[in-house]
Amino acid sequence: MKELRIRLLAGVFVVAGVLSWAGARLWNSVGTLPSVPLAAPVVLALIGVVLTATALSIRARLKAQRERAPEAKGVDPLMAARAVVFGQASALVAALVSGMYGGTGVFLLESLDIPARRDQAIYAGFSVLAGIAVIAAALFLERVCKLPEDDDRNTGAPSAA
């Protein structure tokens, strides 16, 4: 499984932001701009909490397993792989959604004197922050589940994972 690259996530964020900003300008010239839901930052924050809790749980179980603690529950490799895939998918979606709300928020900065638009800009800003938290949690989960590198140079045989 390949690691997530920050450049890819940043690229998705920027492209989605630019397209969203352009779409918001176009939409606003034709009619009213769709609103940024209050639930957007809440849902992203919940996903970030789930990813962080999963990473901390797996890290604690791996530590107990390494220290050979009595009654230590091992980590099923398939469960760890599923957690990493969930984290990677969440990070990609969070980059896309954060870019979308970031672009909309940048457009809304032009009209902060209107209370409704100011609230929408605040929701968009919190959505971007929550999306960045999801990406950070996903990268942390990926790092926790990463297998140690095989060191063939020292022993001549691959290490057992």
Side-chain angles (χ1 to χ4, degrees):
M1 193 177 314
K2 289 187 177 182
E3 288 185 25
L4 272 178
R5 298 194 185 265
I6 302 237
R7 282 185 297 180
L8 172 69
L9 296 172
V12 168
F13 177 83
V14 169
V15 168
V18 168
L19 290 175
S20 177
W21 174 79
R25 287 181 54 91
L26 179 65
W27 198 308
N28 192 49
S29 68
V30 178
T32 61
L33 186 66
S35 64
V36 178
L38 177 61
V42 174
V43 170
L44 286 169
L46 286 174
I47 292 171
V49 167
V50 168
L51 286 171
T52 303
T54 302
L56 293 174
S57 171
I58 290 174
R59 185 176 73 168
R61 290 169 67 181
L62 286 172
K63 181 180 177 191
Q65 189 176 4
R66 270 193 312 270
E67 294 174 353
R68 302 192 192 285
E71 299 179 19
K73 281 178 78 174
V75 176
D76 180 31
L78 188 58
M79 191 269 310
R82 287 178 181 157
V84 170
V85 168
F86 172 62
Q88 288 181 345
S90 298
L92 286 168
V93 170
L96 181 68
V97 170
S98 296
M100 184 184 74
Y101 286 131
T104 303
V106 168
F107 171 75
L108 290 170
L109 289 177
E110 298 172 359
S111 55
L112 289 179
D113 53 336
I114 302 169
R117 295 261 174 129
R118 182 176 49 244
D119 292 344
Q120 297 299 307
I122 291 170
Y123 299 157
F126 281 134
S127 295
V128 170
L129 292 176
I132 291 170
V134 168
I135 292 170
L139 292 174
F140 176 59
L141 174 63
E142 188 178 56
R143 185 166 185 223
V144 164
C145 293
K146 185 176 180 180
L147 292 173
E149 295 292 327
D150 289 337
D151 191 6
D152 295 335
R153 292 169 288 182
N154 293 342
T155 61
S159 64

